Amino acid sequence: MKISIIIPVYNEEESIVGLLNYLNFHSDSSNVEILVVDGNSSDHTVDKVRHAGFRCITSEKKGRAAQMNKGAICSSGEILYFVHTDSIPPKTFMRDILNAVDRGYKAGCYRFKFDSGHPLLKINAFFTRFNRLMCRGGDQTLFITRKLFEQLGGFNPEYHIMEDFDMIERIQAREKFKIIPKEVIVSARKYKDNNYFKVNIANLIVFMMYFWGVSQEKMVNIYKSLINQTKFG
């Protein structure tokens, strides 16, 4: 089965090529395609991706949900694998995903660990082994069969935050969800730019707002007011 790796980006000129080269090196090129979906970056992300020989398209609408949906439409694999630029999957990601699908899992993710030895970040990473929605997140990457993705209607394009939680919640309502017992390496830059407690408090507040049905606009504004980050431009 062919795997389409879909990477939503926005102003990632410094990190994207390294990730693409890593994914390409550890892929079987005959069964994998790599597609970058740009959200109208203001830096040289698109030029760098194309100069490195990778395919890059632009989404008419900015936001990970809309960009990942665009990537799904423009891809051809039977399995979709969504990867964030802050995440480096295990070298065995192709085999891991195909094995999970062969065993009947139509969707799943990895655990994660940070590229930092900070002891408090190790606590966050530890809980990603548990099958609880609060322990999930887009940085853990997500694989899903195209058929299931289309049945679910893809990501909600109106979401600018928590789109990964919404998708996983809908997956788990109808299918088994596989947590592969290996770790994605996730950048700790958000924690370095802020601090551990500030980021975790912001994440908890937005997580609770999601379940309270608070509007996307309000969640985004609250999140932006709590921590320094570039996710929303």
Side-chain angles (χ1 to χ4, degrees), residues 140-151:
Q140 294 168 249
T141 72
L142 173 71
F143 75 85
I144 182 170
T145 64
R146 177 179 295 277
K147 183 176 180 180
L148 177 57
F149 184 82
E150 291 176 348
Q151 288 173 343

Side-chain angles (χ1 to χ4, degrees), residues 132-136 161-162 165 200-213 219 223:
R132 295 291 184 269
L133 187 62
M134 192 173 185
C135 303
R136 302 279 67 81
I161 191 170
M162 303 297 285
F165 288 86
N200 276 335
I201 289 170
N203 289 343
L204 178 60
I205 289 173
V206 172
F207 185 81
M208 297 306 298
M209 292 173 73
Y210 168 74
F211 280 101
W212 292 335
M219 279 195 282
Y223 195 73

Side-chain angles (χ1 to χ4, degrees), residues 3-8 15-29 32-36 54 81-85 87-94 97 110 141 184:
I3 299 176
S4 293
I5 304 173
I6 298 168
I7 309 169
S15 59
I16 185 60
V17 173
L19 173 63
L20 293 172
N21 286 333
Y22 173 89
L23 292 170
N24 187 57
F25 183 78
H26 295 291
S27 296
D28 176 355
S29 59
V32 167
E33 66 175 345
I34 301 174
L35 177 60
V36 176
F54 294 94
Y81 185 38
F82 298 100
V83 178
H84 291 183
T85 51
S87 305
I88 301 177
K91 297 176 182 179
T92 55
F93 71 89
M94 263 197 79
I97 292 170
Y110 283 98
T141 72
V184 168

Side-chain angles (χ1 to χ4, degrees), residues 13 27 39 42 55 79 83 102 106 109 122 144 149 167 179 181 192 206 208-209 214 227:
E13 63 178 3
S27 296
S42 58
R55 184 182 174 198
I79 301 171
V83 178
D102 285 344
K106 298 178 182 179
C109 69
K122 291 181 180 180
I144 182 170
F149 184 82
M167 171 59 84
I179 302 170
K192 294 174 183 175
V206 172
M208 297 306 298
M209 292 173 73
V214 175
I227 66 170

Side-chain angles (χ1 to χ4, degrees), residues 57-96:
I57 61 174
T58 299
S59 173
E60 296 80 7
K61 184 175 181 179
K62 183 189 168 200
R64 278 179 175 159
Q67 289 171 234
M68 290 188 287
N69 284 345
K70 176 78 172 185
I73 292 170
C74 295
S75 64
S76 59
E78 294 91 348
I79 301 171
L80 307 176
Y81 185 38
F82 298 100
V83 178
H84 291 183
T85 51
D86 276 347
S87 305
I88 301 177
K91 297 176 182 179
T92 55
F93 71 89
M94 263 197 79
R95 184 168 69 250
D96 298 336

